[in-house]
Short mmCIF file of all heavy atoms in Angstrom, two decimals:
data_model
loop_
_atom_site.label_atom_id
_atom_site.label_comp_id
_atom_site.label_asym_id
_atom_site.label_seq_id
_atom_site.Cartn_x
_atom_site.Cartn_y
_atom_site.Cartn_z
N CYS A 125 15.06 -7.71 17.06
CA CYS A 125 15.39 -8.08 18.43
C CYS A 125 16.41 -7.07 18.95
O CYS A 125 17.31 -6.67 18.21
CB CYS A 125 15.99 -9.48 18.47
SG CYS A 125 16.71 -9.90 20.06
N PHE A 127 18.78 -7.45 20.86
CA PHE A 127 20.14 -7.98 20.94
C PHE A 127 20.77 -8.19 19.57
O PHE A 127 21.94 -8.53 19.46
CB PHE A 127 20.14 -9.33 21.68
CG PHE A 127 19.73 -9.20 23.12
CD1 PHE A 127 18.45 -9.56 23.52
CD2 PHE A 127 20.60 -8.70 24.07
CE1 PHE A 127 18.06 -9.43 24.84
CE2 PHE A 127 20.22 -8.57 25.39
CZ PHE A 127 18.95 -8.93 25.78
N TYR A 128 19.95 -8.05 18.52
CA TYR A 128 20.45 -8.33 17.17
C TYR A 128 20.55 -7.08 16.30
O TYR A 128 21.51 -6.92 15.54
CB TYR A 128 19.54 -9.36 16.49
CG TYR A 128 20.11 -9.87 15.19
CD1 TYR A 128 21.10 -10.84 15.17
CD2 TYR A 128 19.69 -9.34 13.98
CE1 TYR A 128 21.64 -11.30 13.99
CE2 TYR A 128 20.22 -9.79 12.78
CZ TYR A 128 21.20 -10.76 12.80
OH TYR A 128 21.75 -11.20 11.62
N CYS A 141 24.40 -14.90 18.36
CA CYS A 141 23.22 -15.58 18.91
C CYS A 141 22.68 -16.54 17.85
O CYS A 141 23.24 -16.66 16.77
CB CYS A 141 22.16 -14.58 19.34
SG CYS A 141 21.41 -13.71 17.95
N LEU A 142 21.55 -17.21 18.16
CA LEU A 142 21.02 -18.22 17.24
C LEU A 142 20.71 -17.66 15.86
O LEU A 142 20.76 -18.37 14.87
CB LEU A 142 19.71 -18.80 17.81
CG LEU A 142 19.81 -19.71 19.04
CD1 LEU A 142 18.41 -20.08 19.52
CD2 LEU A 142 20.60 -20.96 18.71
N LYS A 143 20.37 -16.36 15.80
CA LYS A 143 20.02 -15.81 14.48
C LYS A 143 21.25 -15.75 13.58
O LYS A 143 21.12 -15.94 12.37
CB LYS A 143 19.38 -14.42 14.65
CG LYS A 143 18.79 -13.88 13.37
CD LYS A 143 17.86 -12.72 13.60
CE LYS A 143 17.35 -12.17 12.29
NZ LYS A 143 16.46 -11.03 12.46
N ALA A 148 23.36 -19.46 21.15
CA ALA A 148 22.45 -19.25 22.28
C ALA A 148 21.57 -18.05 22.00
O ALA A 148 21.91 -17.19 21.19
CB ALA A 148 23.25 -19.02 23.56
N CYS A 149 20.44 -18.02 22.67
CA CYS A 149 19.54 -16.88 22.54
C CYS A 149 19.64 -16.04 23.81
O CYS A 149 19.57 -16.59 24.91
CB CYS A 149 18.11 -17.37 22.32
SG CYS A 149 16.89 -16.05 22.36
N HIS A 150 19.78 -14.74 23.67
CA HIS A 150 19.91 -13.88 24.85
C HIS A 150 18.55 -13.51 25.44
O HIS A 150 18.48 -12.98 26.54
CB HIS A 150 20.68 -12.60 24.49
CG HIS A 150 21.99 -12.90 23.83
ND1 HIS A 150 22.99 -13.63 24.43
CD2 HIS A 150 22.44 -12.62 22.58
CE1 HIS A 150 24.00 -13.77 23.60
NE2 HIS A 150 23.69 -13.17 22.47
N VAL A 151 17.48 -13.80 24.70
CA VAL A 151 16.13 -13.51 25.21
C VAL A 151 15.61 -14.71 25.99
O VAL A 151 15.11 -14.58 27.11
CB VAL A 151 15.16 -13.19 24.04
CG1 VAL A 151 13.74 -12.98 24.56
CG2 VAL A 151 15.63 -11.96 23.29
N CYS A 158 15.14 -18.90 17.53
CA CYS A 158 15.15 -17.44 17.67
C CYS A 158 13.71 -16.95 17.85
O CYS A 158 12.80 -17.39 17.15
CB CYS A 158 15.77 -16.85 16.41
SG CYS A 158 15.57 -15.07 16.25
N VAL A 159 13.51 -16.03 18.80
CA VAL A 159 12.16 -15.50 19.05
C VAL A 159 12.10 -14.00 18.71
O VAL A 159 11.29 -13.26 19.28
CB VAL A 159 11.71 -15.75 20.51
CG1 VAL A 159 11.47 -17.22 20.75
CG2 VAL A 159 12.72 -15.18 21.50
N ALA A 160 12.94 -13.57 17.77
CA ALA A 160 12.86 -12.17 17.32
C ALA A 160 11.47 -11.91 16.74
O ALA A 160 10.81 -12.82 16.23
CB ALA A 160 13.94 -11.90 16.27
S1 LIG B 2 15.64 -13.62 19.86
FE1 LIG B 2 17.52 -14.59 20.58
S2 LIG B 2 18.38 -15.65 18.79
FE2 LIG B 2 16.83 -14.22 18.04
S3 LIG B 2 17.94 -12.36 17.51
FE3 LIG B 2 17.26 -12.11 19.64
S4 LIG B 2 18.95 -12.89 20.89
FE4 LIG B 2 19.28 -13.61 18.79
#
Side-chain angles (χ1 to χ4, degrees):
C125 169
F127 295 102
Y128 189 79
C141 68
L142 290 175
K143 189 164 177 181
C149 173
H150 307 300
V151 176
C158 169
V159 291

